[in-house]
Amino acid sequence: MESQNTLMLKAAFSIAAKTGADAVLLHADPLEDFNYAERIPKKPELILLTRKKRPEAGEDDKTSLVSHAKAVITLPRSALTRIAIIKIAATLALSQELLKPGARVVFAVGGPEGNAIDLIQSVDTSRESEIITGRGIMKISEAVQPEIFQSVLNLAIELADKGREGKPIGTIFVVGDHEKVLQLSKQMIMNPFKGYDEEERNVLHPGLKETIREFSAMDGAFVIADDGTVLSAGRYLGAAIDESQLPRGLGSRHIAAAGITSLTSAVAFVISESSGDVRIFKDGQIIMHIEKAPTKK
């Protein structure tokens, strides 16, 4: 009897072929191995999603999912809902130009608690929906390098998931157009990043995560240059925006993020201290909302 994962893969490839999809985005973590039961179609393109290290190819290239994959997208190392995986993967694929604007995509994903693919979702990226808001996403690569965007996104989601010493974190990361962002903000405390080498305070540096976690308890925002250099923390964002343009119930951090991105080309990541949700702002609008996965009881 065929396994559930094999049946779901067949269904995903079949749906993609019949709907003319441009790509299949496959959540690789639930798979026990990366060999498919039959010959893998050349079209549509295959993109793998994983929060682990890059999977290795199988012995037979004809049946190896890894060998046929156009790319591998690294997901945050946190518990993610199925919809969160789809949102993050679609955003990263578009920002890295792995997908073209308006692409139709079939997702095959599983949850954080099991080893089975159990959801297939067909997404038309040209349409705005609760899955993905296309407005602003294609402008991200103009403001921020794709690897920097992915690094900050992963960092924000991991901080939202784990918090600091078991306590929730609420903070803002403003990335890109840093000269204008600094002009429209002011330092609330002594800048803890001043005087350190740029390499040591770059978000791609593996040792910086814990430093940011410690400083995330301070009021104010982190300001990050488009090359990933953390310029300051504890920054007050003075730009204002009409609150009626935002969904009800959002606090001062979200209003500040909307304001600063409406006046600059920066991208802002906001971690909600109350819910643990992460929202990304561009041009004064929320372009992605990632809900925190429910904790196990």
Side-chain angles (χ1 to χ4, degrees):
M1 180 180 295
E2 291 182 317
S3 67
Q4 176 175 326
N5 285 342
T6 298
L7 292 171
M8 293 294 279
L9 280 173
K10 285 185 176 181
F13 285 131
S14 176
I15 292 171
K18 292 178 180 178
T19 60
D22 299 284
V24 172
L25 271 65
L26 171 62
H27 187 196
D29 294 341
L31 301 179
E32 296 179 359
D33 63 64
F34 299 102
N35 287 318
Y36 185 49
E38 52 191 65
R39 183 180 294 273
I40 301 170
K42 293 183 179 181
K43 293 290 183 180
E45 294 177 329
L46 175 65
I47 298 174
L48 299 182
L49 316 172
T50 179
R51 62 178 183 173
K52 304 175 182 177
K53 67 178 183 180
R54 185 183 178 93
E56 297 180 358
E59 295 181 359
D60 188 351
D61 286 346
K62 294 181 180 180
T63 60
S64 170
L65 294 166
V66 179
S67 296
H68 281 73
K70 174 184 179 181
V72 177
I73 292 177
T74 303
L75 299 170
R77 293 180 179 273
S78 302
L80 297 170
T81 65
R82 294 157 180 80
I83 297 302
I85 291 172
I86 292 173
K87 288 181 178 180
I88 293 168
T91 301
L92 292 176
L94 286 167
S95 67
Q96 296 173 21
E97 299 182 349
L98 296 173
L99 295 176
K100 295 180 180 179
R104 181 179 290 276
V105 186
V106 172
F107 290 88
V109 302
E113 69 285 345
N115 61 351
I117 295 172
D118 54 15
L119 174 67
I120 296 175
Q121 179 81 44
S122 178
V123 175
D124 184 348
T125 62
S126 66
R127 299 179 180 177
E128 295 182 14
S129 68
E130 62 182 23
I131 297 294
I132 180 172
T133 302
R135 181 176 52 207
I137 286 180
M138 297 314 300
K139 296 181 180 179
I140 288 175
S141 59
E142 299 174 5
V144 184
Q145 298 176 24
E147 62 270 23
I148 303 302
F149 175 82
Q150 180 169 354
S151 180
V152 178
L153 174 61
N154 290 359
L155 174 62
I157 292 173
E158 290 179 27
L159 289 178
D161 180 44
K162 300 175 183 177
R164 176 179 176 270
E165 297 180 352
K167 297 180 180 179
I169 284 176
T171 194
I172 308 173
F173 298 99
V174 184
V175 189
D177 202 4
H178 61 274
E179 292 184 358
K180 196 168 183 180
V181 171
L182 292 175
Q183 291 174 4
L184 295 171
S185 61
K186 63 181 180 179
Q187 199 65 37
M188 300 169 62
I189 59 168
M190 184 177 294
N191 182 9
F193 289 93
K194 187 176 181 179
Y196 288 90
D197 292 340
E198 290 190 1
E199 182 180 350
E200 294 179 355
R201 51 191 173 98
N202 192 287
V203 293
L204 299 179
H205 191 286
L208 189 65
K209 184 186 300 183
E210 287 306 314
T211 301
I212 291 178
R213 189 187 301 274
E214 290 301 312
F215 291 141
S216 64
M218 302 185 306
D219 289 334
F222 292 85
V223 177
I224 304 173
D226 56 5
D227 66 354
T229 302
V230 181
L231 302 176
S232 65
R235 197 86 182 172
Y236 172 75
L237 305 176
I241 194 172
D242 184 357
E243 296 181 29
S244 64
Q245 299 180 33
L246 298 175
R248 290 185 178 182
L250 298 183
S252 58
R253 288 191 181 94
H254 299 91
I255 296 170
I260 198 68
T261 59
S262 69
L263 297 177
T264 69
S265 61
V267 178
F269 302 74
V270 182
I271 302 174
S272 172
E273 186 174 0
S274 59
S275 67
D277 291 0
V278 174
R279 291 177 175 85
I280 302 177
F281 288 78
K282 183 79 173 73
D283 299 331
Q285 302 288 330
I286 299 172
I287 62 172
M288 184 163 65
H289 174 199
I290 303 170
E291 296 181 347
K292 183 178 180 180
T295 55
K296 294 182 179 181
K297 296 183 179 181

